[in-house]
């Protein structure tokens, strides 16, 4: 059973931070507490955790603010993602450990979530697709760093996907190309597909 802090943390991270209407706004602790049925104490504790992850900013006398990512932050984030994902593709193809079956299953799930009413679920499947590859590289520290990067991207990813229906179709196509490279044991093809995917994602994130 989740504690109040865990419940608040999950709600804030997965629902509030990915809501396009909440970007660049201050959060009401009492409103959130009422919404999920806990006291304000676990809300504060969850906000402290999110602040430590640099997902919210705690402003004295004003509360927790959800800051938009700058263009430079987005570019740096995608650069770091590229380094980690290419490493994972190279290692897993060399060792024959690429999680092709797992990623194929996730892609099928994602394909069923194209509708505008399934954006949150689509984003969750997108995360699972990439995390599966990174986890297969077998570097726990790298996996933790990657999770932190994706948490930051989710803050802006949901907004851009809400605004771009066509982008969901493009993501599926780009994911298939990554998977094709991994399935063929072709690290160069997989890395090239990862680069194209991240470049396209960066363009969307910077466009709005």
């Amino acid at each position: 059973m989740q504690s109040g802090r865990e419940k608040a943390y999950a709600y804030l991270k997965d629902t509030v931070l990915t809501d396009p209407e909440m970007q660049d706004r201050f959060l009401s602790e009492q409103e959130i507490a009422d919404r999920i049925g806990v006291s304000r104490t676990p809300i504060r504790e969850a906000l402290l955790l999110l602040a430590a992850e640099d997902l919210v900013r705690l402003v004295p006398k004003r509360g927790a603010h959800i800051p938009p990512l700058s263009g430079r932050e987005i570019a740096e984030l995608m650069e770091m993602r590229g380094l980690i994902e290419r490493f994972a593709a190279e290692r897993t193809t060399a060792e024959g450990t690429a999680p092709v079956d797992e990623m194929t299953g996730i892609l099928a799930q994602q394909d069923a979530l194209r509708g505008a009413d399934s954006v949150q679920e689509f984003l969750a499947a997108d995360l699972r697709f990439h995390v599966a590859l990174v986890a297969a590289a077998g570097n726990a520290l790298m996996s933790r760093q990657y999770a932190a990067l994706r948490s930051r991207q989710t803050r802006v990813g949901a907004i851009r996907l809400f605004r771009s229906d066509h982008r969901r179709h493009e993501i599926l196509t780009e994911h298939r190309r990554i998977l094709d490279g991994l399935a063929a044991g072709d690290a160069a093809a997989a890395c090239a597909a990862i680069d194209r995917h991240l470049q396209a994602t960066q363009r969307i994130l910077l466009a709005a």
Side-chain angles (χ1 to χ4, degrees), residues 80-93:
M80 285 298 298
R81 273 193 60 186
L83 289 172
I84 294 173
E85 292 185 33
R86 287 192 300 271
F87 172 84
E90 290 168 354
R91 170 171 282 189
T92 58
T93 52

Side-chain angles (χ1 to χ4, degrees), residues 13-89:
K13 190 170 185 177
D14 300 335
T15 302
V16 175
L17 293 181
T18 58
D19 183 347
E21 299 299 323
M22 296 303 296
Q23 302 302 302
D24 203 23
R25 288 181 54 180
F26 282 88
L27 302 177
S28 166
E29 292 181 6
Q30 189 60 58
E31 181 180 335
I32 295 168
D34 292 342
R35 195 176 301 172
I36 62 175
V38 300
S39 69
R40 291 178 63 177
T41 298
I43 301 298
R44 292 194 193 100
E45 293 173 346
L47 289 172
L48 286 171
L49 293 174
L50 292 169
E53 296 177 41
D54 202 24
L55 296 177
V56 301
R57 290 180 185 149
L58 301 181
V59 182
K61 299 182 180 180
R62 297 204 63 186
H65 177 248
I66 303 177
L69 292 183
S70 68
R72 179 176 178 177
E73 286 176 309
I74 290 171
E76 290 176 348
L77 185 154
M78 303 310 291
E79 185 175 32
M80 285 298 298
R81 273 193 60 186
L83 289 172
I84 294 173
E85 292 185 33
R86 287 192 300 271
F87 172 84

Side-chain angles (χ1 to χ4, degrees), residues 80-147:
M80 285 298 298
R81 273 193 60 186
L83 289 172
I84 294 173
E85 292 185 33
R86 287 192 300 271
F87 172 84
E90 290 168 354
R91 170 171 282 189
T92 58
T93 52
E95 298 180 350
T97 57
V100 173
D101 290 344
E102 180 182 0
M103 293 173 72
T104 299
I106 295 169
L107 186 58
Q109 295 169 11
Q110 195 173 27
D111 191 35
L113 296 168
R114 297 191 192 194
D117 59 342
S118 301
V119 171
Q120 299 286 3
E121 293 87 352
F122 188 94
L123 282 170
D126 183 271
L127 175 59
R128 291 196 301 275
F129 181 87
H130 290 277
V131 164
L133 173 59
V134 173
N139 186 314
L141 178 59
M142 183 176 289
S143 288
R144 288 195 294 272
Q145 292 299 316
Y146 186 78

